[in-house]
Amino acid sequence: MNAARILALDFDGVICDGMAEYWQTAWRTYTQVWQLDRLEPSPGVAEKFRELRPLIEVGWEMPVLIRALSLGISTERMQSSWQRIRDRILADSRLSGVKVSQQLDSVRDSWIQQDSASWLGLHQFYPGVVDMLKDLPNRKIQPIIITTKESRFVTQLLHEQGVELASEFVWGKELKRSKTDSLKLILDRGAKKSPTVWFVEDRLPTLAKIATQPELESVKLYLAEWGYNTVAEREATLQQSRIQTLALADLATLGVTVKKAAASKTEAVDLVS
């Protein structure tokens, strides 16, 4: 890790909006895991799925969310007790997160093999993000993607947009490493250079956990307000001294080098700070 400046980014909800693909993949997985072939979704289920997407931390939870909706569990209950409900559903169905995750990845792999164009077409990169990623090397900033998605899916989606990142800079689910531990590893590997690290994530609970870690005090934390979070979460961020909200238009300004009026040297600053 030789870079002096590192921009760590979540993928889903920060770089790419794959909501249409999440729904399709989650529904297919749900019908397979619970053996409900040819079942059609009830009216309104897809809309509730999208509304509750901010609850999801890891992809395998998405089919479980659909199961919860099919059981008639209210939005209010899930918003207040999602993890408990999720675990209860797994236990009642004699399933594990690992098993559901394997099925979800299998659904994606089969879809890509059979019709990669339609799979790719359901992903929309947020405006300006692809150009920003391509420009980062010119600004001497190393991007690292830290995601709960399998890295092979991320790499394929980036490749389709003309963004080539070496595998060492795409840290996916297969590494079995939390985002907190990933950021600690970035700092450890770059210890000699004391790198400046920005981390952009769309889940407030993830950022809040990172903010409690003394070892990560130097990492600048941003909640992507265009991602899968709620108005209440964005408002709650205002009470967090360690976390700032970030507008999509300001993403490209992280680490912009400007001239300080009272000095002859340039300094990298966050224009959104």
Side-chain angles (χ1 to χ4, degrees), residues 52 55-56 61 64-65 68 73-90 203:
L52 293 167
L55 296 176
I56 301 302
E61 296 178 88
V64 183
L65 175 60
I73 299 174
S74 70
T75 296
E76 292 74 18
R77 278 188 61 198
M78 282 193 271
Q79 287 174 332
S80 63
S81 307
W82 166 241
Q83 291 185 354
R84 186 162 64 248
I85 291 169
R86 175 200 67 192
D87 294 345
R88 182 73 262 171
I89 289 174
L90 289 178
R203 293 193 76 251

Side-chain angles (χ1 to χ4, degrees), residues 30-44:
Y30 165 65
T31 60
Q32 291 179 17
V33 169
W34 276 274
Q35 300 179 354
L36 301 167
D37 293 344
R38 299 183 180 177
L39 179 72
E40 293 296 324
S42 301

Side-chain angles (χ1 to χ4, degrees), residues 14 21 109 168 192 195 234:
V14 172
E21 189 272 347
D109 282 327
E168 64 182 301
K192 291 184 179 179
R234 293 191 286 276

Side-chain angles (χ1 to χ4, degrees), residues 98-250:
V98 171
K99 183 174 180 178
V100 179
S101 178
Q102 290 171 343
Q103 188 64 36
L104 186 82
D105 289 342
S106 176
V107 166
R108 276 195 172 121
D109 282 327
S110 296
W111 189 351
I112 292 168
Q113 290 170 8
Q114 295 170 15
D115 188 3
S116 62
S118 70
W119 182 79
L120 289 166
L122 291 179
H123 297 82
Q124 301 296 318
F125 281 74
Y126 291 105
V129 171
V130 169
D131 289 340
M132 180 210 68
L133 289 171
K134 291 178 179 179
D135 188 51
L136 288 178
N138 298 327
R139 296 162 52 194
K140 294 182 171 54
I141 297 176
Q142 176 61 59
I144 298 180
I145 295 173
I146 305 174
T147 176
T148 55
K149 202 185 210 78
E150 287 280 340
S151 61
R152 66 181 184 274
F153 299 131
V154 173
T155 299
Q156 184 163 357
L157 287 163
L158 290 172
H159 174 75
E160 188 69 14
Q161 298 295 317
V163 177
E164 306 295 342
L165 268 184
S167 60
E168 64 182 301
F169 301 124
V170 182
W171 296 2
K173 178 181 69 177
E174 69 280 357
L175 295 177
K176 297 180 172 63
R177 190 166 57 221
S178 71
K179 292 179 180 180
T180 298
D181 288 340
S182 292
L183 289 170
K184 289 178 180 178
L185 184 59
I186 288 173
L187 292 181
D188 288 344
R189 289 183 175 178
K192 291 184 179 179
K193 287 198 171 186
S194 298
T196 297
V197 180
W198 302 271
F199 179 52
V200 183
E201 160 73 46
D202 72 317
R203 293 193 76 251
L204 182 57
T206 300
L207 291 170
K209 181 179 179 180
I210 292 168
T212 66
Q213 305 295 307
E215 310 97 302
L216 297 176
E217 188 176 3
S218 65
V219 178
K220 300 178 181 182
L221 304 176
Y222 297 92
L223 179 72
E225 63 180 27
W226 62 92
Y228 309 131
N229 47 61
T230 65
V231 172
E233 287 175 324
R234 293 191 286 276
E235 291 176 348
T237 303
L238 300 176
Q239 310 303 318
Q240 299 270 353
S241 60
R242 283 274 287 114
I243 305 169
Q244 297 182 59
T245 57
L246 183 69
L248 180 57
D250 291 327

